[in-house]
Amino acid sequence: GAGVSQSPSNKVTEKGKDVELRCDPISGHTALYWYRQSLGQGLEFLIYFQGNSAPDKSGLPSDRFSAERTGGSVSTLTIQRTQQEDSAVYLCASSLDSSGTETQYFGPGTRLLVL
Amino acid sequence: KQEVTQIPAALSVPEGENLVLNCSFTDSAIYNLQWFRQDPGKGLTSLLLIQSSQREQTSGRLNASLDKSSGRSTLYIAASQPGDSATYLCAVRPGTGRRALTFGSGTRLQVQP
């Protein structure tokens, strides 16, 4: 596609429910990143996928958060038993590779509100 | 742990002014540094990427410089326009270990017509 796409664009859920956020990276990009942008917290790294390598999950805030990337393309970020502090904008980015020379391109984000 | 600081947090200038946004980072062992723009309610748009071996990058009215040894980068915007109003974020990628970016908290720019 022309750019990174994310769905849904907005999600309102009740505390305790599970949510799934989807990211469709730019075609051919092997690296995919999830970040979270919260009020007062800035942008923080969550998880990173590179090709078929094991993902870097070091940024996930708790075991309620998980992500997978199927077929090296689309990724889903799942938040189980959502809490109000999970309310944030979840941003996905992709890059051609992870060598450090390539720009990360960001999607428009999913705005999650947990009531 | 890498920390990225951006000063000022907010800036308001009249149209036509040249301006400089500052970014500093605590660990100079970086792979690259990237400047982004974020409009309200939108995602991030990459403006410039500077490799650790480079000193500056230019795109149109934008010029970004990097002094890795002192842990500083500046984004220079020439002849500012109201359309430049946005939040500008600086992010560094570490030279080793984690591949993800560490972001500053941003500078919110308002260009008055």
Side-chain angles (χ1 to χ4, degrees):
Chain A
V4 178
S5 60
Q6 292 185 246
S7 61
S9 54
N10 292 280
K11 177 72 177 178
V12 180
T13 190
E14 294 179 348
K15 178 181 173 181
K17 301 279 190 181
D18 298 351
V19 295
E20 284 189 354
L21 312 180
R22 176 187 166 108
C23 172
D24 204 336
I26 293 172
S27 178
H29 280 195
T30 60
L32 186 147
Y33 306 78
W34 282 98
Y35 296 87
R36 177 169 73 174
Q37 188 171 33
S38 310
L39 275 176
Q41 295 291 327
L43 256 156
E44 56 178 337
F45 163 73
L46 297 177
I47 188 169
Y48 154 72
F49 296 89
Q50 171 57 44
N52 295 321
S53 302
D56 176 357
K57 305 179 182 179
S58 60
L60 295 179
S62 77
D63 58 9
R64 296 186 295 105
F65 288 71
S66 63
E68 62 178 19
R69 188 178 185 193
T70 53
S73 182
V74 172
S75 176
T76 302
L77 177 69
T78 301
I79 310 173
Q80 296 178 310
R81 306 180 302 281
T82 52
Q83 304 294 312
Q84 289 181 332
E85 61 262 30
D86 299 335
S87 297
V89 177
Y90 289 81
L91 292 164
C92 174
S94 70
S95 66
L96 192 58
D97 64 30
S98 67
S99 67
T101 61
E102 299 297 334
T103 299
Q104 290 189 24
Y105 295 90
F106 281 76
T110 293
R111 286 154 190 76
L112 175 66
L113 177 61
V114 182
L115 300 175
Chain B
K1 178 187 173 187
Q2 178 74 270
E3 292 184 2
V4 181
T5 304
Q6 291 188 245
I7 295 173
L11 182 63
S12 181
V13 300
E15 182 177 4
E17 269 203 11
N18 302 324
L19 57 101
V20 174
L21 307 181
N22 296 292
C23 171
S24 62
F25 45 95
T26 54
D27 186 348
S28 63
I30 64 169
Y31 213 110
N32 61 43
L33 181 144
Q34 203 164 343
W35 281 94
F36 294 89
R37 167 187 175 136
Q38 185 172 33
D39 293 281
K42 307 282 185 174
L44 277 66
T45 301
S46 179
L47 298 173
L48 291 164
L49 183 148
I50 312 176
Q51 299 299 335
S52 61
S53 58
Q54 297 175 323
R55 298 285 293 185
E56 65 177 343
Q57 283 285 338
T58 298
S59 176
R61 294 182 294 109
L62 305 179
N63 175 277
S65 68
L66 173 64
D67 184 343
K68 198 174 79 162
S69 61
S70 67
R72 294 182 181 181
S73 175
T74 60
L75 179 66
Y76 175 81
I77 302 177
S80 58
Q81 303 172 356
D84 295 332
S85 298
T87 296
Y88 290 80
L89 293 156
C90 163
V92 298
R93 177 167 165 170
T96 59
R98 178 187 287 187
R99 299 297 191 187
L101 299 173
T102 299
F103 283 84
S105 53
T107 293
R108 191 171 63 254
L109 173 65
Q110 181 73 35
V111 180
Q112 308 288 349

